[in-house]
Amino acid sequence: TSFIQHKTVSEDTLAYLRTEREFKNCLLTEQPNGDWAKTILRQFFFSCYQYYFYTELQQSEDSRFAALAVKSLKEVSYHLRWSSEWVIRLGDGTGESRKRLSVALEELWAYTGELFHPAPYEQALLAHGLSVNLPEIKNAWETRVKEILTEATLDLPANSFMQSGGKTGIHTEHMGYILSEMQYLQRTYPGAEW
C-alpha cells in the first residue's frame, strides 16, 4: 500500500516519498537533458502543450484551476517564445546545429502523442468541467509545432508510433535516475526538514 494513502500529504511527501509508479507524468518530461538541441526541443514541445492546455483551463468550472491557468499562462508564454526561437536558430543554423536538432526530433517525437491521450483521472476531471479536453488542443499544438519546424527548415518525422505509459505510472529508465537524485536526502535522512 502506498505511503501517501496512510499519511498526511504535503509537498515533501509528494516529491520525496512516492515510488516511481506513483508519479503520473508524461514520458516526454522525463527524457534526459543531454545535448542542448534535445533539451531545447523537449522544452519547446512541452511548453507548446502547456500553452494550449492553460489557455483552455482558464475556462475551468473551478475558479482555483482557472486562476492557476491565468497565472501559469504568462510564464509558459515566455518559455514557448524562448524555446521556439532556439528551435528556429538551431534548425536553420549551422550544419552541426541542424544535425543535432534533427536527431533530437527523431528521438523525442515518439513521446509527444501521450500528451493528448487522457488518462482515466484526466477524463474524470473533464467530466466534471475541471480540466481540458486534450484531443481538442492537439490540432492547435500540431499547427504551432509545424510552423516552428518549418521556420527551422525541418519536417515532422514520418514515424507515427507513440510511446505511452507515464500517465499511468509506467516510466522510462530515466525516471529512476531522476528520483534517485531528487529523493536521496529524504531517503538517507528520513524525516529531515529543510
Side-chain angles (χ1 to χ4, degrees):
T1 320
S2 162
F3 173 85
I4 293 178
Q5 292 172 341
H6 298 290
K7 303 286 182 180
T8 302
V9 177
S10 70
E11 292 87 353
D12 284 348
T13 60
L14 287 174
Y16 304 123
L17 298 177
R18 285 190 290 164
T19 65
E20 182 177 313
R21 290 284 185 134
E22 292 173 305
F23 281 83
K24 313 294 185 200
N25 57 277
C26 297
L27 296 174
L28 177 66
T29 63
E30 62 195 52
Q31 298 308 297
N33 287 334
D35 187 82
W36 176 249
K38 187 174 180 182
T39 301
I40 289 300
L41 188 62
R42 185 193 62 210
Q43 182 68 50
F44 167 66
F45 283 155
F46 196 67
S47 293
C48 191
Y49 161 77
Q50 287 182 308
Y51 176 82
Y52 293 107
F53 180 87
Y54 288 132
T55 297
E56 290 301 312
L57 190 62
Q58 292 177 100
Q59 309 309 313
S60 175
E61 292 183 22
D62 186 309
S63 61
R64 296 169 296 178
F65 286 5
L68 177 67
V70 169
K71 185 174 183 177
S72 298
L73 194 55
K74 292 175 186 175
E75 186 71 19
V76 167
S77 295
Y78 167 78
H79 288 289
L80 177 57
R81 184 175 61 252
W82 180 82
S83 61
S84 295
E85 290 168 358
W86 268 107
V87 167
I88 294 165
R89 191 175 298 136
L90 292 171
D92 195 29
T94 67
E96 181 67 18
S97 68
R98 179 181 173 72
K99 177 181 141 193
R100 288 175 182 251
L101 190 63
S102 295
V103 168
L105 184 57
E106 288 296 327
E107 289 178 13
L108 293 176
W109 183 251
Y111 296 101
T112 60
E114 183 180 32
L115 297 169
F116 307 102
H117 293 287
Y121 54 85
E122 291 173 308
Q123 291 171 338
L125 287 169
L126 180 61
H128 289 90
L130 302 176
S131 192
V132 174
N133 187 333
L134 297 178
E136 286 185 7
I137 65 171
K138 183 178 181 182
N139 286 339
W141 180 88
E142 281 182 344
T143 298
R144 183 72 166 267
V145 166
K146 285 177 187 176
E147 286 172 1
I148 297 301
L149 289 179
T150 297
E151 261 192 88
T153 68
L154 293 170
D155 296 318
L156 291 178
N159 180 11
S160 61
F161 173 77
M162 292 293 166
Q163 297 282 350
S164 64
K167 289 181 176 185
T168 57
I170 301 169
H171 300 280
T172 66
E173 67 276 9
H174 306 298
M175 186 64 156
Y177 295 109
I178 293 168
L179 293 182
S180 177
E181 183 175 333
M182 184 173 76
Q183 296 177 341
Y184 175 79
L185 285 175
Q186 185 56 242
R187 297 210 181 266
T188 304
Y189 305 102
E193 293 183 15
W194 48 85

